[in-house]
Amino acid sequence: MAEIGKTLLESGWLAARSTEVELTGSQLTTTHPPTGPTSPWMEAVVPGTVLATLVKNKVVADPFYGLENEMIIDIADSGREYYTFWFFTKFQCKLSAAQHLDLNFRAINYSAEVYLNGHKMVLPKGMFRRHSLEVTDILNPDGENFLAVLVHPPDHPGRIPPEGGQGGDHEIGKDVATQYVEGWDWIAPVRDRNTGIWDEVSISVTGPVKTIDPHLVSSFFDQYTRAYLHATTELENRSAWVADCSLNIQVATELEGSVCLIEHLQTQHVSVPPGARIQYTFPKLSFYKPNLWWPNGLGKQSLYNVSITVDVKGYGESDTWGHLFGFRKIESHIDSATGGRLFKVNGQPIFIRGGNWILSDCLLRLSKERYKTDIKFHADMNLNMIRCWGGGLAERPEFYHYCDVYGLLVWQEFWITGDVDGRGIPVSNPDGPLDHDLFMLCARDTVKLLRNHPSLALWVGGNEQVPPDDINTALKNDLKLHPLFESHGENALSIEEEDPSQYLDGTRVYIQGSMWDGFANGKGDFTDGPYEIQNSEDFFKDNFYNYGFNPEVGSVGMPVAATIRATMPPKGWQIPLFKKLTNGYTEEVPNPIWEYHKYIPYSKPGKVHDQIELYGIPKDLDDFCLKAQLVNYVQYRALLEGWTSRMWSKYTGVLIWKTQNPWSGLRGQFYDYLLDQTAGFYGCRCAAEPIHVQLNLATYFIEVVNTTSEELSNVAVEASVWDLEGACPSYNVFDKLFLPPKKVMSISELNYPKSESPKPVYFLLLKLYNLSNNSIISRNFYWLYLPGGDYKLLEPYQNNRIPLLITSKTSHKDDSYEIEMNVQNKSEKPDPKILTYKNNFAIRHEDGEFDMASLEPIHDKTEEKQKVGLFQRLYRQFPRETDGSKITEIKGSDVGVAFFLKISVHALKTDNRGGEDTRILPVHYSDNYFSLVPGEEMSIKMSFEVPQGVIPRVTLEGWNYQSEVHTVI
């Protein structure tokens, strides 16, 4: 008997262009199966796309490198047959009597013919459509089975106009597929239009009865002290007799040390007629004070393991299903004070600070490992929402799993975007895809795939557009709220009402478009944006943005120099020309490779003076990218601090366009495709702290933002000003403060710029701390200049050498490393009156509350709270080797601020060739791009994995240390 359950078919695939294969599908899966990667067959990327396979086998160049994408033939020129490919694999499976086997394709693009052991089946069109084929009767008796899939590209791949544009000629919008693939202002065209088996392929063994698409819903009463779990599943009887079933539902929670506590176990008896498919709803399960799921920064992400099994009399276990489930309630309404959409989770208002997301990889080489890094990066930045943009994907369950684990609310759009559905040049078809029924079939299937994830917060019809009337009406009807979730109160579920788990969803609001109903101006006018560099103080001004919730506001995203060298040939290392205009502004003229990679300049002639030029004209690539990081940090910190400064009084939320790039682009990103963070990542991380001290750059008042539901008392703000000579001309403490929950408090005006002789460039260090033990709640470091000035005095400051003392401690298990570094500015002894110099951060616990008595160094917040996560617990069980502490001293004779320090991890190579990229990526840092005033010290934690056999080294560089890199372990 085969084991009940699912087996992934993710290795051993071969691929070949259909025009180069002379055999039929029947022959390929019977008498003439390919035997290996010999022409025309090659190793295939599954899940993945045709282009991903061609790149893997070096048949085409890497489209992410330089201008190589221009050398790859576009489907508009080659014809659809050129990207029509065979995919082949084989698998072992032998069934016993009464067992059944399904062959599952979670998604293909765009249609396919499937051959199994000589038998043909057709997968109909639609990129976001699941396919499950029962193949029990066509398995080979010996257990070896041959599978071949002929995949056809989208029907309307379109053509790329010479001038490019949003979605090319918009033909792709006629299909139910990703729309970015004809190119956008942030990406070049994808030549095969994502053709391929781009998502999971599996086989599933069941007994006579199969469970299909269980639906889990939680409801709450008595101020969230009582909860119910509602569950409905479909059951399909594939036998020729009545199946008497014992249907079991089990809810378990994990305790410390991988021990599970079963909180509920219920068995129901149900009979399913032969050949029938029925829907069964369990009696609701009652919970008292369940552990709740909270968004990132506001509490822990408690997850319960819900499993449903069906046992058939006379057979035994027939099928099993499991899912991690979070008890939480998400509500939203249009706020009367701001006009913005206001979200509540578990009754608590949530100020949204999030980002727009396209997808991990534009060749759809999607993986759990990449998703884990992507989502953890967003949590590391203290964001609490991700918007899945309508021109991209309905994201995969693995994406949602990590959003569940790390606490990222998800705004999921369907496949409509205004550029391809009603406007643009040429003007696009306003009626959406040609096949509206197919769109709705894919939409309903997507809802069933994703609806059990607690992180999923809302459905949106499209990006900057609403779907055609009939689709919009169907979505509104299908995604209508259950009465239990329509009101803001906690009403008991009446006997007459249907169980909420019987709805398609029923628990999340549907919004028709990204600029409607509480987003932008709420009426669909183009009131999102802007998308370019801004004066940092403008974000704080009342006239910067007039509406309560901005779904898209974007800016720059230049990566570090090492990424440019890794993704471009030397011609792409040329920095922009700085062209002086008659109006006094500077225009940046980038090289053609940067232009192809969608570079966005650091100036806006007529509005914003070049922000890199404020630091001095860059000399070379390294200088340019270093100064760009300074701007990235300032720009994104100011953006989020400006929005947060008017929390609830003017705004309910903001989503940054965008957090990352699915290729080697040069705009709108906090980390690059290679997974190296820009300094904007840490500016965002700083600004989006749940409790945060900041400077209002428009008024120069110090503010404290408390986005949590807890009040803070007996706290103080320390404000110290430092000049380039290392002196502290201004020092103030504002003590005995009381910070109410979910409020912005104005503390005091910064007095330094109004003093008799302020320095033209100076540093400001703000700390919010607990008076009882000086533990730091929030720390924020600024570099500032007087009105009308610039940062050019920082150029000669690069020659200063500030002495540092670095203590590092390393622990590792196999290839996984955790390192803690303590960095101290030794240029001056700490002033006795400054009691916070050690930066002992208060630990924020899993429930969102601070341990105000703690004097331990801060832990990485996302790692700390993940002690309850399933995979994190397992990881921490392994014994780890610990190296002794290592002390590194960087000598220097100058006194002052150690400015803009950056830690990075590299592979230690004795035969390193010049210019080789030795970075180890990704690395999760508790902070980076940080500065230390005289006497101050900071503890930085990092975690990463290295390739087998590679020895890592950690290096430190900075504004004062750019000519040399110091190895610290």
Side-chain angles (χ1 to χ4, degrees), residues 6-21:
K6 181 174 77 172
T7 301
L8 297 180
L9 304 182
E10 56 186 354
S11 61
W13 286 87
L14 301 171
R17 183 170 283 114
S18 62
T19 54
E20 298 176 2
V21 177

Side-chain angles (χ1 to χ4, degrees), residues 584-610:
Y585 287 85
T586 297
E587 178 187 0
E588 291 183 23
V589 183
N591 69 63
I593 299 179
W594 284 26
E595 194 165 16
Y596 189 80
H597 285 253
K598 314 298 183 176
Y599 174 76
I600 185 169
Y602 284 72
S603 63
K604 181 70 173 177
K607 183 180 179 182
V608 182
H609 285 285
D610 196 285

